[in-house]
Amino acid sequence: MEGLTLSDAEQKYYSDLFSYCDIESTKKVAANGRVLELFRAAQLPSDVVLQIMELCGATRLGYFGRSQFYIALKLVAVAQSGFPLRVESINTVKDLPLPRFVASKNEQESRHAASYSSDSENQGSYSGVIPPPPGRGQVKKGSVSHDTVQSRTSTDQQEPASPVVSPQQSPPTSPHTWRKHNRHPSGGNGERPLAGPGPFWSPFGDAQSGSAAGDAMWSGHSPPPPQENWVSFADTPPTSTLLTMHPASVQDQTTVRTVASATTANEIRRQSSSYDDPWKITDEQRQYYVNQFKTIQPDLNGFIPGSAAKEFFTKSKLPILELSHIWELSDFDKDGALTLDEFCAAFHLVVARKNGYDLPEKLPESLMPKLIDLEDSADVGDQTGEVGYSGSPAEAPPSKSPSMPSLNQTWPEMNQSSEQWETFSERSSSSQTLTQFDSNIAPADPDTAIVHPVPIRMTPSKIHMQEMELKRTGSDHTNPTSPLLVKTSDLSEENKINSSVKFASGNTVDGYSSSDSFTSDPEQIGNNVTRQRSHSGTSPDNTAPPPPPPRPQPSHSRSSSLDMNRTFTVTTDLYIHTGQQQAGVVAHPPAVPPRPQPSQAPGPTVHRPVDADGMITHTSTSPQQIPEQPNFADFSQFEVFAASNVNEEQDDEAEKHPEVLPVEKASDPASSLRVAKTDSKIEEKTAASAPANVGKGTTPLAPPPKPVRRRLKSEDELRPEVDEHTQKTGVLAGVLASQPSIPRSVGKDKKAIQASIRRNKETNTVLARLNSELQQQLKDVLEERISLEVQLEQLRPFSHL
Amino acid sequence: MAVCVAVIAKENYPLYIRSVPTENELKFHYMVHTSLDVVDEKISAMGKALVDQRELYLGLLYPTEDYKVYGYVTNSKVKFVMVVDSSNTALRDNEIRSMFRKLHNSYTDVMCNPFYNPGDRIQSRAFDSMVTSMMIQVC
């Protein structure tokens, strides 16, 4: 066999037909009898049929295998389209309409041909829909619907344009669809209620109301075994009863469908729109649904979560499988929640199902939530029908618990209203269908809205930059301190070390582009203070963008960001060792270079005021520590500061700060940091800090050295020391708790230290400048002197004269 | 263009398995079952890396003379196995990937259904139809 490529629609259609013909259920061979009947229904001249059979190889094989059957069908379509029957034409003919097997209406076929091509897809999908869809609603009052349908069928359709698909056998999964439909065989095929399939059709952009009707009718066929219907298909004229419609429906469907499509899609649409849409929700029903919705979700614009909906619909005692299918149909946007529209659709489907209608394969047009207002008036009209369900089932009080009984009560009412449904014309689905697909696009479900990520500034914020500028300009200490103060307050709020550290510290660091990172360092160093600072610094940014890369600070001999980084890394390591509690601390890997504050190193002995002077003095006292500062400076500074601050402010406070900090902060990074720092500062005598950490009530200066030394021992000891600290902090916590300003004071310490650092740097700069100037002056003076001497030499001879 | 599509749960029992040639289904079932070993092997191979880094698409699991078996695993260890006909040489890797993506999307839709209990067999019609569209076109 030649390779045969089938479109989806064709595939479905063919498989359905094959199933139909496969009465022996061999799934391989189509009964010749059936096949012949089918071909006869194709209304092709017998010689053409013979030719087809020959081409497809059936005559060769003697039976119709699946492939042969498919090829034959394709050839039928080819023939019906008027193309010459060739083997090549199977694949060469593009957009071949599905073969039509119609009992009559040849003239329509041609028209249908065109429409078929376009509808082929619909058909295909429709065939998949086989299960009697909308027909359900129509089933109720078949006669009524039929009548209306008939009127709708408009032009020529006389045959119910049920999808050609081999309905009965095709959807094995939906046997229940064939459940008894009360559909009454409509008078004529044309009467086939279009409404039923209408909704389905519409989604397919099919303007074939007729076919829809056919479908509806088709589904209306209740129990008659499909086979029977199929058998009669060749015989039953379109006007046959509905029961026999199935077979006829096949033909009719095609013809009707084609007719509908062929003739005037628009007309049909319009007519269909006037048709009774079995799936349309009446006002009463709508109101009832809305009330039920309210019981679950008072906000009509809100959503019903899946679990609540599950509970609710489970009460309807429908099998879970069907409920699952109903959910699939009604949850339009697949968000796991039901909007009001979706809920109404689901409820409607449940009601319909309860009344015996089969579930459609696709959501009926009328039940689709209108996301985009695109339909024409007809559709709108239909849609609006759902509004204002007056006199809703009074017996169905909207309450979940009694919902079941109430629902049951409503069932009969629903049944009554089914009439209304049937009278509704089929929606002008075609127009809608085309547009409806658009509505499928991204339902505007606010709940399902994608959560926009909160933009996080990755670059220093303006404020931050300003702060940094301030600092750079070496304004007064206040500048840094102010941000610091701000920061500390923020810090106390959160411990966004990473972000904040990066930014906040910028404030403290003079002109450190990397102040961000720098701030992180000092924060770490300054324990919570630093951290707080950084946080506060970043508070304006909150989300603190990553700090800019550290800028080289050649002018700053001491507190270079690099140093700070180094220091922080050290601290972090130590911190880690000490069982850091905060990941954030670790996150400051680059760490602020240790602030070379040798002045602070000797802190213990010096009661350093929280100011630059103090720092300077400290530095002077411990010049030897300067070189070591890179790694220790921070620690010593802060600790000393803490100590000094403590001294200045409150002895206990200062000490408590470090302790409190750990206590305050979930993690005890500060203390641990301090501890770590102390370790790193082994060489330094940052005793001041140590004592602060230790929280010894004694003068901060005195104890610091000791703890520092202790810490020098090993990092392991840090832990116990940390524990000590924590213990002490615990003891002091109570006291500290009463000191709300503790964090601030700690922050102030940091700030003070940083301020002092800044001041020192400024002083350095000034001195350097002065030095250079003096040097220059010296040079000038020397030159002058030389010149004068020369002059003197020159003049000497004269003098002698 | 698949001949058989299967959805295997985390515990390695099938949630959904369907093959096109309805006869000889057992052969496909067996193939899928044996491919699970390969899937596990592939998962554990990159198990060292974080789950995020793990590719969902596993690629060709193993070829036989008639068929090729492709695998795909989700982050919840739900596996999709697809058996394609070897004669279908036109099938490119990208196509297989897109088919798996469709499967995955349909599977998540099924999951979203509150009436679906995770671990049940998948009986969603939408899922069925999607799989049908992927199955080999008979001819």
Side-chain angles (χ1 to χ4, degrees):
Chain A
M1 278 307 133
E2 310 77 3
L4 184 65
T5 53
L6 298 174
S7 67
D8 282 358
E10 290 181 352
Q11 178 69 15
K12 285 182 191 159
Y13 185 26
Y14 291 179
S15 60
D16 291 331
L17 286 176
F18 189 81
S19 312
Y20 168 69
C21 293
D22 191 9
I23 46 175
E24 293 160 21
S25 301
T26 59
K27 300 212 162 93
K28 251 197 185 158
V29 180
N32 281 6
R34 282 281 174 81
V35 173
L36 290 176
E37 281 178 354
L38 195 66
F39 288 167
R40 242 177 285 139
Q43 300 172 344
L44 295 171
S46 57
D47 54 335
V48 173
V49 172
L50 283 173
Q51 195 177 359
I52 289 175
M53 287 177 57
E54 199 176 51
L55 281 175
C56 76
T59 43
R60 214 182 331 127
L61 296 173
Y63 62 85
F64 275 100
R66 187 177 278 268
S67 53
Q68 285 85 33
F69 187 73
Y70 283 15
I71 290 177
L73 290 175
K74 189 99 184 197
L75 287 172
V76 167
V78 168
Q80 286 176 344
S81 309
F83 294 99
L85 274 185
R86 297 266 151 69
V87 169
E88 308 80 28
S89 57
I90 293 176
N91 287 329
T92 53
V93 178
K94 303 288 181 208
D95 293 335
L96 199 61
L98 292 180
R100 301 176 295 282
F101 299 96
V102 180
S104 60
K105 307 216 175 264
N106 290 331
E107 74 273 12
Q108 298 167 355
E109 290 175 17
S110 55
R111 277 178 285 172
H112 294 322
S115 57
Y116 261 109
S117 338
S118 57
D119 300 337
S120 59
E121 171 139 8
N122 297 337
Q123 296 172 357
S125 53
Y126 208 102
S127 36
V129 173
I130 298 173
R136 211 170 303 161
Q138 303 162 350
V139 169
K140 289 235 172 143
K141 316 292 174 99
S143 56
V144 176
S145 57
H146 290 314
D147 294 335
T148 56
V149 172
Q150 189 156 34
S151 58
R152 279 188 237 151
T153 28
S154 68
T155 56
D156 37 6
Q157 304 126 358
Q158 293 140 17
E159 290 126 3
S162 51
V164 181
V165 188
S166 56
Q168 285 118 14
Q169 301 187 3
S170 51
T173 57
S174 56
H176 58 272
T177 59
W178 293 111
R179 234 171 271 178
K180 53 171 175 202
H181 295 280
N182 307 331
R183 255 194 202 211
H184 311 289
S186 57
N189 290 341
E191 292 178 357
R192 308 285 160 117
L194 299 173
F200 289 88
W201 282 111
S202 52
F204 306 123
D206 187 347
Q208 301 155 353
S209 54
S211 53
D215 239 356
M217 308 211 24
W218 185 40
S219 53
H221 294 316
S222 48
Q227 287 295 353
E228 296 173 15
N229 291 333
W230 278 109
V231 171
S232 57
F233 97 165
D235 308 326
T236 55
T239 56
S240 63
T241 61
L242 280 182
L243 291 182
T244 56
M245 221 180 88
H246 286 299
S249 63
V250 173
Q251 316 157 15
D252 297 337
Q253 291 167 1
T254 53
T255 49
V256 175
R257 209 176 1 167
T258 55
V259 171
S261 56
T263 46
T264 48
N266 292 332
E267 285 180 7
I268 294 172
R269 282 198 207 104
R270 299 224 179 79
Q271 290 170 356
S272 58
S273 60
S274 61
Y275 291 162
D276 181 10
D277 180 3
W279 295 111
K280 189 173 157 192
I281 301 179
T282 66
D283 290 353
E284 287 183 355
Q285 296 169 336
R286 176 89 181 176
Q287 190 55 46
Y288 177 63
Y289 299 156
V290 169
N291 291 340
Q292 290 289 314
F293 183 91
K294 281 191 198 150
T295 64
I296 309 176
Q297 163 71 280
D299 176 18
L300 287 184
N301 287 329
F303 291 83
I304 290 186
S307 49
K310 175 178 177 175
E311 252 181 67
F312 182 77
F313 287 113
T314 310
K315 293 183 198 155
S316 69
K317 305 280 175 55
L318 283 180
I320 293 288
L321 184 58
E322 299 190 8
L323 289 174
S324 172
H325 188 64
I326 288 178
W327 175 276
E328 266 179 22
L329 292 177
S330 56
D331 188 5
F332 204 62
D333 44 18
K334 300 276 181 265
D335 60 350
L338 295 181
T339 63
L340 182 59
D341 275 345
E342 292 174 346
F343 177 84
C344 291
F347 208 134
H348 198 64
L349 289 169
V350 167
V351 167
R353 188 79 190 89
K354 274 283 191 176
N355 289 327
Y357 293 96
D358 293 331
L359 289 177
E361 284 293 334
K362 303 271 184 197
L363 191 65
E365 184 75 5
S366 56
L367 295 181
M368 278 195 194
K370 291 292 184 212
L371 301 171
I372 301 178
D373 189 5
L374 10 106
E375 54 286 344
D376 50 359
S377 58
D379 300 335
V380 173
D382 290 345
Q383 200 66 13
T384 53
E386 302 170 3
V387 179
Y389 180 39
S390 61
S392 72
E395 61 271 23
S399 56
K400 280 197 194 167
S401 43
S403 63
M404 266 330 290
S406 60
L407 281 178
N408 288 332
Q409 295 168 18
T410 60
W411 297 146
E413 188 166 359
M414 294 302 139
N415 287 337
Q416 296 166 11
S417 53
S418 63
E419 289 183 14
Q420 303 173 10
W421 301 345
E422 297 179 6
T423 55
F424 287 142
S425 66
E426 168 183 310
R427 307 183 114 227
S428 55
S429 51
S430 51
S431 61
Q432 288 178 359
T433 55
L434 294 174
T435 52
Q436 276 305 329
F437 277 122
D438 295 343
S439 65
N440 290 338
I441 300 174
D445 253 351
D447 291 359
T448 55
I450 299 175
V451 176
H452 295 284
V454 176
I456 294 182
R457 191 193 303 229
M458 302 309 283
T459 57
S461 67
K462 210 158 133 192
I463 300 174
H464 187 58
M465 292 305 297
Q466 290 170 359
E467 287 176 346
M468 293 178 60
E469 281 307 317
L470 284 176
K471 293 172 197 168
R472 296 227 189 86
T473 54
S475 46
D476 44 23
H477 308 304
T478 59
N479 286 342
T481 52
S482 55
L484 285 177
L485 289 172
V486 175
K487 290 176 190 173
T488 51
S489 60
D490 295 340
L491 279 178
S492 56
E493 298 166 1
E494 311 181 301
N495 206 358
K496 292 181 184 175
I497 296 179
N498 292 340
S499 55
S500 57
V501 170
K502 306 271 169 128
F503 297 99
S505 51
N507 296 335
T508 54
V509 179
D510 297 340
Y512 280 140
S513 61
S514 61
S515 60
D516 293 341
S517 55
F518 178 82
T519 54
S520 61
D521 297 338
E523 288 187 354
Q524 287 179 344
I525 295 176
N527 308 322
N528 296 334
V529 176
T530 51
R531 213 164 292 117
Q532 289 167 352
R533 286 206 201 120
S534 58
H535 289 299
S536 58
T538 55
S539 55
D541 310 340
N542 272 347
T543 50
R551 275 181 259 166
Q553 299 285 343
S555 60
H556 300 273
S557 58
R558 289 188 193 162
S559 55
S560 64
S561 54
L562 299 175
D563 291 338
M564 295 302 289
N565 289 334
R566 242 181 299 146
T567 303
F568 276 114
T569 49
V570 175
T571 58
T572 13
D573 293 342
L574 292 173
Y575 187 69
I576 296 172
H577 275 293
T578 57
Q580 69 200 41
Q581 303 161 14
Q582 283 183 351
V585 177
V586 183
H588 295 300
V592 177
R595 261 180 256 160
Q597 301 230 348
S599 59
Q600 296 181 0
T605 55
V606 181
H607 182 80
R608 289 182 279 167
V610 185
D611 58 18
D613 297 339
M615 302 291 287
I616 294 175
T617 55
H618 286 305
T619 52
S620 60
T621 52
S622 62
Q624 69 278 7
Q625 296 175 353
I626 295 178
E628 301 163 350
Q629 281 175 356
N631 293 329
F632 309 128
D634 296 337
F635 302 110
S636 56
Q637 291 170 9
F638 291 98
E639 293 189 353
V640 174
F641 253 145
S644 59
N645 286 339
V646 171
N647 293 336
E648 292 173 5
E649 301 168 2
Q650 301 171 8
D651 291 350
D652 294 340
E653 261 190 12
E655 298 171 6
K656 291 169 189 172
H657 291 324
E659 298 168 353
V660 172
L661 291 176
V663 171
E664 289 172 352
K665 307 288 183 177
S667 57
D668 196 356
S671 59
S672 54
L673 276 180
R674 288 202 210 94
V675 177
K677 288 177 189 170
T678 53
D679 278 346
S680 60
K681 293 183 205 168
I682 293 180
E683 299 79 353
E684 287 183 343
K685 301 167 191 172
T686 58
S689 56
N693 295 337
V694 175
K696 289 171 186 161
T698 60
T699 59
L701 296 178
K706 296 176 192 172
V708 176
R709 297 205 183 96
R710 270 193 247 152
R711 296 200 186 101
L712 298 180
K713 290 175 188 175
S714 64
E715 293 175 357
D716 293 341
E717 294 180 6
L718 287 177
R719 288 202 197 89
E721 285 177 355
V722 174
D723 295 341
E724 293 176 11
H725 288 299
T726 51
Q727 291 171 5
K728 287 171 188 168
T729 56
V731 173
L732 297 167
V735 182
L736 294 173
S738 59
Q739 298 168 352
S741 63
I742 289 174
R744 227 173 272 140
S745 57
V746 176
K748 283 177 192 167
D749 290 348
K750 274 193 184 177
K751 288 179 189 169
I753 293 172
Q754 291 173 351
S756 63
I757 292 171
R758 218 172 298 117
R759 266 173 272 148
N760 287 341
K761 286 181 190 167
E762 290 165 8
T763 312
N764 282 346
T765 323
V766 168
L767 289 174
R769 228 177 289 138
L770 186 61
N771 184 23
S772 62
E773 285 175 11
L774 289 172
Q775 294 280 349
Q776 190 63 34
Q777 282 183 9
L778 178 61
K779 280 185 208 159
D780 294 344
V781 167
L782 285 175
E783 280 179 17
E784 263 182 54
R785 186 189 160 197
I786 292 169
S787 65
L788 284 172
E789 285 181 2
V790 166
Q791 282 182 5
L792 183 62
E793 287 296 331
Q794 290 174 358
L795 292 170
R796 197 164 281 168
F798 293 97
S799 66
H800 290 317
L801 290 179
Chain B
M1 269 50 75
V3 173
C4 170
V5 170
V7 178
I8 315 290
K10 180 176 174 184
E11 293 80 11
N12 287 337
Y13 62 86
L15 293 175
Y16 179 89
I17 181 162
R18 178 137 157 246
S19 27
V20 159
T22 44
E23 79 287 347
N24 218 2
E25 260 184 342
L26 195 58
K27 179 179 76 173
F28 292 115
H29 290 204
Y30 184 70
M31 281 176 77
V32 169
H33 190 264
T34 55
S35 67
L36 290 180
D37 274 338
V38 185
V39 170
D40 279 342
E41 182 188 324
K42 284 197 187 264
I43 295 179
S44 63
M46 36 180 152
K48 299 300 183 266
L50 295 175
V51 177
D52 325 336
Q53 303 170 9
R54 186 162 54 94
E55 263 257 340
L56 300 181
Y57 176 69
L58 301 177
L60 181 68
L61 297 179
Y62 71 87
T64 63
E65 60 185 31
D66 290 332
Y67 302 101
K68 291 198 268 252
V69 183
Y70 291 88
Y72 180 97
V73 63
T74 68
N75 282 326
S76 55
K77 298 289 196 322
V78 171
K79 309 162 186 74
F80 299 113
V81 176
M82 186 186 321
V83 180
V84 299
D85 204 331
S86 281
S87 58
N88 249 329
T89 51
L91 270 184
R92 293 192 316 276
D93 197 54
N94 278 341
E95 294 176 11
I96 306 280
R97 279 179 196 263
S98 72
M99 286 162 82
F100 274 125
R101 212 171 304 124
K102 281 201 298 183
L103 265 176
H104 199 170
N105 289 336
S106 300
Y107 177 72
T108 50
D109 285 343
V110 168
M111 276 293 159
C112 284
N113 191 329
F115 296 100
Y116 172 78
N117 301 316
D120 293 350
R121 298 191 67 95
I122 297 178
Q123 282 148 329
S124 149
R125 291 186 221 176
F127 191 84
D128 271 345
S129 61
M130 192 277 308
V131 170
T132 312
S133 71
M134 280 174 37
M135 299 294 251
I136 193 165
Q137 308 291 320
V138 174
C139 186

